[in-house]
Amino acid sequence: MGANVPFVYSHSSLRARDQLNANLSLGSSYKEAAAIVIDGNSILRNGASSVSAISSIPAVAALTSGSAVLGGFLGVPVGLYFTRIGALQGRAAVLCKDVEGAGHSALLGTVGLSYAGISGVLSAYGIMGLQGAAAPASLIGSLGGLGIVMQTALTFYGAHGLYKTHEFGQELQKHIDDKGDALAWLADQLVVTDDEAKELSPEQIGELLKKKWNQFELRVGTDCAKMVRDNIFLKKKQPVDFENMIQAVVKANFKQQVRYALLLFIGLLGLAAFAAFMVVTGPLSPILFAVGSAFWLLIDSSKVHNYVAEKCWNWHSEGKPRVTHCNQPLSA
């Protein structure tokens, strides 16, 4: 089923991947806490701005300015966090000639860098508001321009992720329906097959393996990808329950589809919000920003996101049969 190249299947390859993912997750707890505060703060600020656009309330100006300073202060490191993730993932993708992964990571890095810029401008905007000074047109233009760039990159990031995860899910389901072909197909997504290795050097085989791992993680998530990789590559004393493993991949892939669908929706909503911010006055823009921030909570809070994803999975899988056949043995 897989190419017999010892270094490719060595434990060191798995340890290197685990180290990369551990490096990518550094600071994730701070990022989540800060992002949740940012989302709640944004809902408060834009909700107050919406009310102020309809009925003038003197205290709202100070509230929104202070909120802008807080949101900007917290937002810069969060934006730089995603910039770092995009850069690390992009570098790993470039090293193994993974064009898809490099493009996907570049979009994430663009989202992070532009969000850091937006946060810096937002802080300046809030400080000027607290001082009673009117923000110059250049500051407003910078905020709107960076927002359009960020939301465009986020829209493409979500659309690409949704397309690839949906495509993977359909292909996996087709092989499940073929009564036993799913395990062999799934393994081929994570190993370099004999046919693929025929005309490749050991270095090229290593690059292809890493490329496959990158693409598999995009489609099922890091945790599920690690579980499947370990079951395929590590020599375990206990037999693997392949039916449950395939079912876990189906579920993880569906949850990834939910995540990317949410990001696509947030990106489109954000584009509308920043367009309204630049061309119209009134409550439309802050209302859209407030709604967008509420949806961001479904992504930024791991507990809320897992709850929503589980609910979506239960609705999706209700009445559908589990995987109950797995006829081909797995060997690597």
Side-chain angles (χ1 to χ4, degrees):
M1 182 172 292
N4 185 23
V5 181
F7 96 92
V8 171
Y9 295 156
S10 66
H11 287 205
S12 62
S13 298
L14 295 170
R15 286 197 298 271
R17 174 59 57 149
D18 290 342
Q19 182 59 49
L20 171 63
N21 288 330
N23 193 21
L24 290 171
S25 66
L26 288 175
S28 59
S29 57
Y30 165 80
K31 183 274 301 179
E32 179 173 346
I36 291 172
V37 173
I38 290 170
D39 295 337
N41 181 57
S42 179
I43 292 171
L44 174 64
R45 179 176 67 255
N46 287 292
S49 296
S50 301
V51 173
S52 179
I54 299 171
S55 176
S56 179
I57 302 176
V60 169
L63 171 64
T64 55
S65 295
S67 174
V69 174
L70 175 61
F73 177 78
L74 294 175
V76 170
V78 170
L80 294 178
Y81 171 89
F82 285 110
T83 304
R84 174 181 175 274
I85 296 296
L88 290 174
Q89 289 180 333
R91 179 179 181 275
V94 169
L95 289 176
C96 66
K97 300 179 176 64
D98 177 13
V99 176
E100 174 192 297
H104 196 70
S105 300
L107 289 171
L108 179 61
T110 302
V111 171
L113 192 59
S114 54
Y115 182 67
I118 288 170
S119 298
V121 175
L122 187 64
S123 290
Y125 185 87
I127 291 171
M128 294 182 70
L130 289 174
Q131 294 175 340
S138 59
L139 199 65
I140 303 298
S142 297
L143 193 61
L146 286 169
I148 294 295
V149 171
M150 182 187 77
Q151 299 298 347
T152 299
L154 181 62
T155 298
F156 279 105
Y157 181 81
H160 175 259
L162 180 59
Y163 173 75
K164 290 299 181 180
T165 51
H166 181 67
E167 181 183 53
F168 177 91
Q170 286 189 317
E171 189 68 17
L172 176 57
Q173 190 59 52
K174 184 180 77 173
H175 287 280
I176 290 174
D177 295 339
D178 285 341
K179 305 298 182 183
D181 186 41
L183 183 58
W185 179 82
L186 190 60
D188 285 348
Q189 309 309 302
L190 285 168
V191 304
V192 179
T193 65
D194 293 325
D195 288 340
E196 290 171 332
K198 283 180 181 178
E199 299 182 359
L200 299 178
S201 67
E203 181 180 356
Q204 290 172 323
I205 290 174
E207 290 176 349
L208 179 57
L209 183 68
K210 292 174 184 176
K211 178 180 177 179
K212 287 191 170 190
W213 287 2
N214 289 345
Q215 295 179 349
F216 194 70
E217 286 184 2
L218 187 152
R219 289 153 177 77
V220 302
T222 302
D223 291 340
C224 179
K226 174 176 170 54
M227 179 271 293
V228 178
R229 276 199 312 269
D230 288 352
N231 282 332
I232 289 178
F233 288 100
L234 296 180
K235 304 300 183 183
K236 294 190 173 183
K237 295 181 180 180
Q238 298 297 326
V240 178
D241 186 341
F242 291 120
E243 292 177 1
N244 280 336
M245 186 180 78
I246 293 175
Q247 189 70 25
V249 172
V250 173
K251 182 177 181 179
N253 168 254
F254 179 81
K255 286 186 172 184
Q256 283 291 91
Q257 293 184 50
V258 171
R259 177 176 177 270
Y260 283 117
L262 283 170
L263 289 172
L264 173 58
F265 175 77
I266 292 170
L268 292 172
L269 190 64
L271 277 173
F274 275 105
F277 173 76
M278 295 181 71
V279 300
V280 301
T281 58
L284 178 60
S285 175
I287 287 174
L288 291 175
F289 281 129
V291 173
S293 297
F295 275 95
W296 263 118
L297 278 172
L298 304 183
I299 295 289
D300 290 332
S301 171
S302 56
K303 290 184 178 180
V304 174
H305 180 69
N306 288 335
Y307 176 80
V308 171
E310 281 288 341
K311 284 294 184 182
C312 291
W313 168 252
N314 291 336
W315 295 331
H316 172 77
S317 61
E318 186 176 0
K320 293 184 178 180
R322 285 177 53 87
V323 177
T324 56
H325 49 267
C326 189
N327 300 329
Q328 297 189 21
L330 182 67
S331 60

